Amino acid sequence: GCGKAGEAKRMSDEEDEHDSVEDCDMPMPPPGARRHRNSVSAEAWQAAIEYFEPPKHPKTPEQMARIRQLISAKSFLFSSLDDNDLVVVIEAMSMKMATPQECLVREGDEGHCVYCVDTGFLNVWKNVPDSPAVIVKVLTEGDIFGELSLLYNAPRAATVVAETDCILWELDRDTFSHLVKNAAQQKRRQHDSFLKNVPLLASLDDYERLQIADALEVRNEAAGTLIIRQGDSGDYFFLIQEGACEAQKVEGADVQTMHLGPSDYFGELALLNDAQRAANVTSLTDVKLLCLDRRTFGRMMGPLGGNLQDSSAKYSGV
């Protein structure tokens, strides 16, 4: 369906412990020298970024391709990197072999690296007050872990222990911070600024909205591009960030059209109802689209299901 952005209903916000976590934790200068040291620290930090040289661990072309596939399969963490930076990150990863019952990450410790699982299974343990630790997740091929500690400069939030023999790819903290973290934070800020002005998402709290911001893929299409075709299967949900589109639904001799602009959305009905696309959507101008794939849409847009269905009753379904 395609819906105008103003059909959201207000839902009660839920507090989340992550809402107050700051993305940066730069050290404070010593008392009495605050103004001068702030300037020096900023210059030193910028110089460190400009002259940073990441490690380079040799890999075969097959390993490079394998890691690229792994880090894009389940995680959105690396999606904001351009291709050159992505190659640098992959080259900086080192292979780590883990044996059964080996602890890779311990809850409460400082984080020094991020891991991507190539093969094997690992259990994520979480401490529970007045109770034994419990397994909250099982990690397998393509899963990323250890990133939250580095993103938020916080202690490890859980313990990760290998269940089987595992092959992991390890990325050091410095490379992660200089390349991945900076790009992810910039992408998050840009997307979140846009999402705050989409009425459909008004019922989401800050943490829910930021999760969507992290997951969005950017797609640029030229004017006159057929973005979705009536009768096709639906794999993506679209938000229009810039530009304009036209939705056209053909039923025999009857043709319905609707204009779509910034903050409007389309493609949700095929995903909500597991149905075929019910209309064509064509770009009228060059457009910048923000997209969620089917799996991510189902997981992250669940709280908005009622709003999406309500809006579909008023607008032609796509």
Side-chain angles (χ1 to χ4, degrees):
C2 43
K4 306 299 283 187
E7 299 301 320
K9 294 181 179 178
R10 174 64 60 180
M11 296 169 65
S12 60
D13 291 338
E14 297 178 0
E15 295 183 355
D16 189 281
E17 64 181 2
H18 296 286
D19 289 349
S20 61
V21 176
E22 295 181 353
D23 287 344
C24 296
D25 188 19
M26 296 296 291
M28 293 296 292
R34 178 166 307 210
R35 184 164 300 181
H36 176 68
R37 289 299 299 271
N38 268 348
S39 175
V40 172
S41 296
E43 292 172 3
W45 176 249
Q46 184 61 36
I49 292 175
E50 292 176 356
Y51 295 105
F52 171 72
E53 289 193 19
K56 200 169 184 178
H57 300 284
K59 297 176 181 67
T60 66
E62 291 76 19
Q63 287 176 320
M64 293 286 291
R66 170 65 174 170
I67 297 172
R68 182 186 287 264
Q69 176 189 4
L70 288 169
I71 63 178
S72 61
K74 298 182 181 179
S75 174
F76 312 104
L77 191 60
F78 301 92
S79 62
S80 51
L81 293 174
D82 63 34
D83 199 63
N84 289 336
D85 284 343
L86 184 59
V87 170
V88 172
V89 166
I90 293 173
E91 289 178 336
M93 289 181 163
S94 59
M95 182 183 288
K96 163 76 175 175
M97 311 291 289
T99 56
Q101 303 309 308
E102 181 176 346
C103 181
L104 282 305
V105 165
R106 191 177 303 278
E107 185 172 352
D109 283 359
E110 182 181 356
H112 297 287
C113 60
V114 177
Y115 295 99
C116 175
V117 183
D118 192 327
T119 63
F121 295 89
L122 305 97
N123 293 324
V124 180
W125 294 82
K126 186 76 176 172
N127 289 326
V128 180
D130 304 321
S131 300
V134 295
I135 295 176
V136 294
K137 186 177 182 180
V138 176
L139 302 172
T140 187
E141 179 181 317
D143 281 321
I144 307 287
F145 66 94
E147 79 283 4
L148 292 181
S149 175
L150 305 193
L151 279 172
Y152 300 112
N153 297 308
R156 297 295 199 187
T159 297
V160 179
V161 179
E163 175 72 16
T164 65
D165 287 325
C166 300
I167 298 175
L168 310 169
W169 294 100
E170 178 182 324
L171 182 65
D172 66 282
R173 182 181 193 131
D174 286 343
T175 305
F176 180 88
S177 295
H178 281 88
L179 295 177
V180 183
K181 180 177 179 178
N182 288 343
Q185 289 178 339
Q186 182 179 10
K187 173 191 172 184
R188 165 182 275 198
R189 285 192 295 267
Q190 292 173 343
H191 287 176
D192 186 51
S193 177
F194 169 73
L195 295 179
K196 284 179 179 177
N197 297 311
V198 177
L200 171 69
L201 307 179
S203 61
L204 299 182
D205 62 31
D206 288 346
Y207 181 63
E208 290 170 328
R209 193 181 62 251
L210 285 171
Q211 282 190 308
I212 293 176
D214 290 340
L216 289 169
E217 302 173 31
V218 178
R219 182 182 299 184
N220 294 293
E221 299 288 1
T225 301
L226 181 63
I227 300 168
I228 62 175
R229 186 190 305 273
Q230 185 172 340
D232 285 356
S233 60
D235 296 316
Y236 282 90
F237 166 75
F238 300 90
L239 281 161
I240 302 175
Q241 184 170 11
E242 299 173 6
C245 296
E246 181 181 72
Q248 185 179 81
K249 184 173 183 178
V250 181
E251 292 179 314
D254 183 27
V255 179
Q256 304 175 39
T257 62
M258 184 170 62
H259 184 274
L260 301 169
S263 296
D264 290 337
Y265 57 91
F266 59 92
E268 79 283 0
L269 282 187
L271 305 188
L272 286 169
N273 302 326
D274 196 24
Q276 294 179 329
R277 298 294 195 190
N280 299 316
V281 175
T282 304
S283 55
L284 297 175
T285 66
D286 291 348
V287 293
K288 183 177 183 179
L289 304 170
L290 302 179
C291 319
L292 291 176
D293 64 32
R294 174 185 289 273
R295 181 173 60 88
T296 309
F297 174 86
R299 185 173 73 250
M300 294 189 171
M301 301 293 276
L304 298 175
N307 295 337
L308 292 166
Q309 291 284 14
D310 288 345
S311 68
S312 70
K314 297 186 178 181
Y315 299 95
S316 303
V318 174

